[in-house]
Amino acid sequence: MIFPPVIVSARICGKLLKLSRLQEDRADSVTWNPHKLMGTLLQCSTVHFKHEGILLSCNAMSAEYLFMPDKIYDPRYDTGDKVIQCGRHNDIFKLWLQWRGKGTSGFERHMDRLMELSEYMVRRLREQSDKFYLILEPEMVNVSFWYLPKQLRGVPHDKNKELKLGRVCAKLKGRMMQAGTLMVGYQPDERRPNFFRNIISSAAVTEKDVDFLLSEMDRLGHDIIIE
């Protein structure tokens, strides 16, 4: 049994390892990804197994040209045969360095700050509801919304309007790239056409950056016309 990735929320960073051990007691393995809220650069994930030696038994190729047994040190230190990614130990090394640099309390403050900025963005979107349509109440740092150019403001919200808003995303993203001032991703889901999905993951972001993002989207997209 493999658990889905554990999503880290604010104020539980110090409990991650305890949580991993708890889930290992209930399952064969557990994995989590420290990407968004912890800000670890791609790619980085951890996986923990209850049974010792299971990765070695699954992955070991015992390639003598890589893991020669006649080295001057104990060849048991060659751990490449134990892991899925072989030599890419830099992935977990990033997380180790982060934890050494920030500490558990530092990660807690970092995550709380990202959540605060996302909540601030939601408030600003609601204050400008004539220009932005908040799709749902976010639970994490993903803020999903549509931008409304002047053409679609005041128009009753229905499926036809949503289709047009989805097309606005592609046009506005193109203008962002041409201007070089913003980069906000968009995507559809099972119920909606394209919508913007903003994620704040950098500790350097401030409320001023959020305000600039919204004002710049309006500057670049207010005159978009959808036929």
Side-chain angles (χ1 to χ4, degrees):
M1 178 179 180
I2 299 178
F3 271 54
V6 176
I7 301 177
V8 184
S9 62
R11 301 190 181 280
I12 68 167
C13 181
K15 300 179 181 178
L16 278 175
L17 294 180
K18 182 179 179 181
L19 177 62
S20 295
R21 296 189 188 103
L22 175 63
Q23 290 188 328
E24 285 172 0
D25 290 339
R26 299 177 179 177
D28 292 329
S29 63
V30 59
T31 179
W32 52 278
N33 189 325
H35 172 43
K36 289 179 184 174
L37 277 179
M38 296 179 76
T40 306
L41 299 178
L42 292 174
Q43 296 284 339
C44 184
S45 298
T46 73
V47 59
H48 309 267
F49 294 92
K50 179 188 295 183
H51 305 291
E52 184 175 354
I54 192 169
L55 280 176
L56 183 61
S57 64
C58 290
N59 298 312
M61 299 296 292
S62 301
E64 293 185 359
Y65 72 97
L66 290 175
F67 311 114
M68 287 75 75
D70 54 352
K71 292 177 179 175
I72 61 173
Y73 56 82
D74 190 337
R76 290 178 297 177
Y77 290 115
D78 288 333
T79 59
D81 256 354
K82 295 182 180 180
V83 297
I84 299 171
Q85 295 174 300
C86 189
R88 290 191 60 183
H89 297 166
N90 56 308
D91 291 352
I92 195 61
F93 188 50
K94 290 182 291 188
L95 178 59
W96 183 84
L97 283 176
Q98 275 189 296
W99 219 304
R100 291 280 292 180
K102 289 193 174 187
T104 299
S105 60
F107 267 129
E108 179 180 335
R109 291 191 299 270
H110 173 81
M111 294 175 194
D112 286 346
R113 177 60 175 156
L114 297 184
M115 297 293 286
E116 289 171 1
L117 287 169
S118 297
E119 292 168 359
Y120 176 79
M121 183 173 182
V122 169
R123 290 198 301 271
R124 297 293 288 127
L125 288 172
R126 287 189 172 128
E127 290 169 1
Q128 304 178 63
S129 58
D130 59 323
K131 301 176 183 177
F132 298 94
Y133 185 97
L134 183 66
I135 291 178
L136 48 82
E137 185 71 27
E139 297 180 355
M140 299 295 288
V141 292
N142 303 300
V143 180
S144 302
F145 63 96
W146 279 305
Y147 170 73
L148 285 70
K150 288 183 177 180
Q151 179 199 24
L152 297 175
R153 295 174 191 175
V155 177
H157 193 89
D158 56 21
K159 290 297 182 181
N160 183 56
K161 182 179 179 179
E162 289 188 356
L163 290 174
K164 290 183 178 181
L165 290 173
R167 290 161 61 192
V168 168
C169 294
K171 284 183 174 291
L172 182 49
K173 178 65 176 290
R175 293 186 179 187
M176 290 181 198
M177 297 178 71
Q178 290 175 333
T181 53
L182 291 178
M183 183 66 77
V184 183
Y186 65 84
Q187 66 182 67
D189 65 12
E190 294 178 352
R191 294 179 292 170
R192 306 172 184 87
N194 289 326
F195 55 87
F196 287 109
R197 185 171 69 99
N198 187 74
I199 300 170
I200 299 175
S201 60
S202 171
V205 174
T206 68
E207 285 82 358
K208 289 184 179 180
D209 296 314
V210 174
D211 290 337
F212 172 78
L213 183 151
L214 299 181
S215 64
E216 183 70 355
M217 289 184 76
D218 187 43
R219 183 185 75 84
L220 295 172
H222 70 277
D223 61 344
I224 289 177
I225 300 295
I226 301 296
E227 300 297 337

